[in-house]
Amino acid sequence: MSDGVLTIADRIHNKLDDLTRAERQLAHSILENYPASGLGPLAALAKGAEVSVPTVARMVQKLGFNGYPEFQAELREELKAKVQNPIAKHDTWAEGAPSGHVLNQFTDAVIDNIRHTLGQIAPAKFDEACAMVADQTKSLYIVGGRVTHTLAEYLFLHTQVIRPRVTHVQSTSNTWPHYLLDVAEGDVFVIFDVRRYENNTLKLAEMAHARGAMIILFTDQWRSPVHQLAHISFSSRIVVPSAWDSAATTMLLVETMIAAVQNIDWDGTKERMERLEEMFDQTKLFRKFT
Amino acid sequence: MSDGVLTIADRIHNKLDDLTRAERQLAHSILENYPASGLGPLAALAKGAEVSVPTVARMVQKLGFNGYPEFQAELREELKAKVQNPIAKHDTWAEGAPSGHVLNQFTDAVIDNIRHTLGQIAPAKFDEACAMVADQTKSLYIVGGRVTHTLAEYLFLHTQVIRPRVTHVQSTSNTWPHYLLDVAEGDVFVIFDVRRYENNTLKLAEMAHARGAMIILFTDQWRSPVHQLAHISFSSRIVVPSAWDSAATTMLLVETMIAAVQNIDWDGTKERMERLEEMFDQTKLFRKFT
DNA sequence: TTCGCCTTGTTACAAATATAACAGAATTTT
DNA sequence: AAAATTCTGTTATATTTGTAACAAGGCGAA
């Protein structure tokens, strides 16, 4: 909506009385399935409305555009703005912060990333991945790289509570080959690999793959080379106004996965959590109150 | 939608592996603001994706269309169908997921958390905290707990690139008192403490405070007891439909802080990053391309 | 009924847009 | 390390698409 807040549909409505018979016919045709019809070629629009080509051209000028292409361009802008989620719209997040403040810029970017990422995930694949992670008949290996090991660690920390036979492998350490000794056919690897993709991680993935392990990959929009070996891949958008990439979206996916996995065998999870609590009580690690 | 049930976005996704570098770049650009960008002229799309005009033409053919106009026509059909079908409304994040799916529930909760959290942060305080973290005349200590050490680690990893004199202290380890030996008046502590608040972390904070250090605290909405000692506190909302709390919002804050801090002395940051790159090159840790 | 104006459509032209052919660059294979 | 293949971009051509000019048709007023 380049000028003002009026959509083109609004403008057509306002002008409706000033239009001639053929033009009105056209106007209704445009509004009929808005905005799709207006985005096609002029001739098609004319034909659809059963008016002549110049009628379209003239009406577009009456609406204040310099030509049909300009009209289309604004329609596209409108569409773009519309598709972008209402939440991402310029609510300023931190009240009182100038909208150019890092807090706002960054948050906008992350919300945007989340939206794009979630839009590309097939729920069925996600469920399948969760089932694999929950499968206690197989061993589970979690692999992170230089930066992503924090995410891997986070997933490890929680899956460890949920189920036995979980191992955290750091591909940056050169001790990782030891961990692969016990890998059996059908074991599950959750691998994190985002830019800059690490050679170690790829090698590890190849070995795991060669031994018949199943790979679930968390990567970015450009996709780590590991994805060719992976059974299931999830790619997050990670671009933010910073010299580094954002891990927030991937973190969200990981947390969601944890939530889903804990529910698959909730009784078992609950029982394990209670036992863990008991042990915590004995170590007096946590405060009892507040 | 016109043939079969596959949207063009789906088709692009399926083909993604068969595409070349430039084509993949283009594909992402199309999905970026879909479908608006695909409805403009071919040249504009090419320019937006920073590829050449024929690359677009070729990819469109790979997707199985007889030409760009045909591709556009189908996009419009899709749009038409989508607008007519109220169920296709954009309130569901992961399209095709029943709205009760974990992916949607969890994401909704996190977005909500972000809104609440950001709404309560005073930008001035945030800037002040960033300045403290950036101040290279003081030593910086980063402290995490059992779960939050992943966040602490993440912050550490990046601040370490930005500036010297950064230390990561794990309060869960019993070696932490050693780290406090060198603490001087005015040194800065960034402490993470969320439910369940840890005794170790509180003790550590007390000692740091006694030595005249400044404390920046990342906690949750109920606030860790450390906040009474803290110079600046940030409380995140962390409730999600899961047995555990969410770290995603706090992660967002941490990343924003990293972005802000790197800008305070950008020249210095850049220089350090370049040196790091050189060292990476020598270790061949990362893949050179893609 | 006839004149004049407004509206609409047909035709012709100009501009833009998409496709095809080619050549250089990059990547992979031998 | 060289050759072959694949990929990518530049240039040129053909087609489509939009616009302008013009002519025919319709409608109201005298």
Side-chain angles (χ1 to χ4, degrees):
Chain A
M1 333 214 179
S2 62
D3 55 349
V5 281
L6 257 58
T7 69
I8 291 187
D10 290 336
R11 287 163 78 168
I12 292 177
H13 270 114
N14 292 342
K15 278 271 180 189
L16 216 52
D17 292 333
D18 301 347
L19 300 179
T20 64
R21 197 260 317 148
E23 284 170 347
R24 204 157 25 232
Q25 190 177 325
L26 169 63
H28 283 121
S29 173
I30 293 176
L31 296 173
E32 189 73 12
N33 38 20
Y34 181 86
S37 55
L39 290 164
L42 190 150
L45 182 57
K47 196 176 174 191
E50 295 181 328
V51 298
S52 72
V53 164
T55 301
V56 179
R58 276 189 285 259
M59 196 188 84
V60 161
Q61 291 202 329
K62 270 196 185 173
L63 290 172
F65 297 99
N66 269 330
Y68 190 71
E70 194 180 304
F71 166 80
Q72 284 192 318
E74 187 146 335
L75 265 185
R76 282 194 301 271
E77 279 305 308
E78 213 174 83
L79 182 63
K80 215 160 104 186
K82 190 174 181 179
V83 169
Q84 246 141 45
N85 198 283
I87 301 172
K89 279 229 168 146
H90 273 312
D91 296 3
T92 39
W93 294 94
E95 263 179 275
S99 67
H101 194 280
V102 233
L103 276 170
N104 293 321
Q105 283 182 10
F106 210 96
T107 305
D108 281 347
V110 169
I111 299 272
D112 212 49
N113 287 342
I114 292 175
R115 207 190 77 244
H116 273 93
T117 304
L118 271 280
Q120 293 180 0
I121 290 181
K125 282 283 167 196
F126 188 80
D127 293 339
E128 191 186 339
C130 290
M132 283 165 66
V133 171
D135 182 359
Q136 305 196 3
T137 67
K138 311 290 180 188
S139 287
L140 176 65
Y141 295 83
I142 299 176
V143 184
R146 191 179 70 94
V147 175
T148 49
H149 82 264
T150 52
L151 290 166
E153 175 88 28
Y154 191 79
L155 177 60
F156 170 68
L157 206 68
H158 290 92
T159 43
Q160 200 185 23
V161 176
I162 298 174
R163 53 164 287 177
R165 301 175 68 191
V166 191
T167 312
H168 181 201
V169 185
Q170 295 215 186
S171 71
T172 47
S173 147
N174 43 22
T175 63
W176 61 260
H178 299 93
Y179 289 105
L180 267 72
L181 277 173
D182 298 326
V183 173
E185 173 121 14
D187 280 355
V188 177
F189 274 71
V190 176
I191 298 181
F192 293 85
D193 195 27
V194 300
R195 296 200 292 199
R196 329 237 319 241
Y197 312 119
E198 293 172 34
N199 284 324
N200 269 335
T201 305
L202 180 59
K203 291 225 183 72
L204 195 157
E206 279 165 354
M207 289 186 188
H209 182 73
R211 291 171 156 281
M214 303 283 264
I215 297 178
I216 298 168
L217 173 70
F218 285 92
T219 183
D220 55 47
Q221 60 194 122
W222 299 281
R223 291 191 172 183
S224 148
V226 173
H227 93 269
Q228 288 168 341
L229 308 169
H231 185 62
I232 299 176
S233 293
F234 301 106
S235 17
S236 310
R237 270 240 313 207
I238 58 173
V239 281
V240 279
S242 166
W244 285 283
D245 295 319
S246 166
T249 306
T250 313
M251 175 66 107
L252 169 63
L253 290 182
V254 168
E255 288 193 326
T256 309
M257 178 169 273
I258 293 168
V261 169
Q262 78 187 347
N263 285 331
I264 291 177
D265 174 26
W266 174 241
D267 288 338
T269 304
K270 198 176 154 196
E271 191 263 338
R272 285 174 71 91
M273 282 179 78
E274 279 161 359
R275 263 164 48 208
L276 186 66
E277 284 298 308
E278 274 173 37
M279 291 192 279
F280 278 147
D281 280 351
Q282 284 171 27
T283 60
K284 291 183 184 159
L285 198 59
F286 298 109
R287 294 170 66 83
K288 258 295 174 214
F289 300 105
T290 68
Chain B
M1 308 232 176
S2 67
D3 60 345
V5 280
L6 256 57
T7 69
I8 290 187
D10 289 336
R11 288 165 75 167
I12 292 178
H13 264 111
N14 291 342
K15 277 272 180 193
L16 216 53
D17 290 332
D18 301 346
L19 299 179
T20 64
R21 200 258 316 145
E23 286 170 345
R24 204 153 31 227
Q25 190 174 325
L26 167 65
H28 281 120
S29 172
I30 293 175
L31 297 173
E32 188 73 10
N33 35 23
Y34 181 86
S37 57
L39 291 164
L42 188 152
L45 182 58
K47 198 176 171 191
E50 293 179 332
V51 299
S52 69
V53 164
T55 301
V56 179
R58 277 188 286 258
M59 194 188 85
V60 161
Q61 290 201 330
K62 270 197 186 174
L63 290 173
F65 298 99
N66 269 330
Y68 189 72
E70 193 181 307
F71 166 79
Q72 285 192 316
E74 187 146 336
L75 265 186
R76 283 194 299 272
E77 279 306 308
E78 213 175 82
L79 182 64
K80 213 161 103 185
K82 193 169 189 175
V83 170
Q84 281 169 0
N85 182 1
I87 303 168
K89 278 216 169 170
H90 261 316
D91 24 338
T92 46
W93 293 95
E95 265 180 274
S99 65
H101 194 280
V102 232
L103 276 169
N104 294 320
Q105 282 183 12
F106 210 97
T107 305
D108 282 347
V110 168
I111 300 270
D112 212 49
N113 286 342
I114 292 175
R115 303 183 77 150
H116 275 92
T117 304
L118 271 282
Q120 290 178 1
I121 290 181
K125 283 283 170 196
F126 188 80
D127 292 339
E128 192 186 338
C130 290
M132 283 165 66
V133 171
D135 182 359
Q136 305 196 3
T137 66
K138 311 289 181 191
S139 287
L140 176 65
Y141 295 84
I142 299 175
V143 184
R146 191 179 69 94
V147 175
T148 49
H149 82 263
T150 52
L151 289 167
E153 175 89 25
Y154 192 79
L155 177 60
F156 170 68
L157 205 67
H158 289 92
T159 43
Q160 199 185 23
V161 177
I162 298 174
R163 52 162 288 175
R165 301 174 69 191
V166 191
T167 311
H168 181 201
V169 186
Q170 295 214 187
S171 71
T172 47
S173 146
N174 44 23
T175 62
W176 62 259
H178 299 91
Y179 289 106
L180 267 72
L181 278 173
D182 299 324
V183 173
E185 173 121 13
D187 279 355
V188 177
F189 274 71
V190 176
I191 299 180
F192 293 85
D193 196 27
V194 300
R195 303 197 288 200
R196 329 241 315 245
Y197 313 119
E198 294 174 33
N199 284 323
N200 270 335
T201 305
L202 180 58
K203 291 225 182 74
L204 194 157
E206 279 166 353
M207 288 187 188
H209 185 254
R211 292 172 157 280
M214 304 282 263
I215 296 177
I216 298 167
L217 173 70
F218 285 93
T219 183
D220 55 48
Q221 59 195 120
W222 301 282
R223 290 191 173 182
S224 147
V226 173
H227 94 269
Q228 290 170 341
L229 308 168
H231 185 63
I232 300 175
S233 292
F234 301 107
S235 16
S236 311
R237 274 242 310 210
I238 57 172
V239 281
V240 279
S242 165
W244 285 283
D245 295 319
S246 166
T249 306
T250 315
M251 175 67 107
L252 169 64
L253 290 182
V254 169
E255 288 193 325
T256 309
M257 177 169 274
I258 292 168
V261 169
Q262 78 187 348
N263 285 330
I264 292 177
D265 174 26
W266 174 242
D267 287 338
T269 304
K270 198 176 152 197
E271 192 263 337
R272 286 174 69 93
M273 283 178 76
E274 279 161 0
R275 262 164 49 209
L276 186 65
E277 284 297 309
E278 275 173 37
M279 291 193 280
F280 278 146
D281 280 350
Q282 283 170 26
T283 60
K284 292 185 182 153
L285 198 59
F286 298 108
R287 293 170 66 82
K288 258 294 171 215
F289 299 105
T290 65

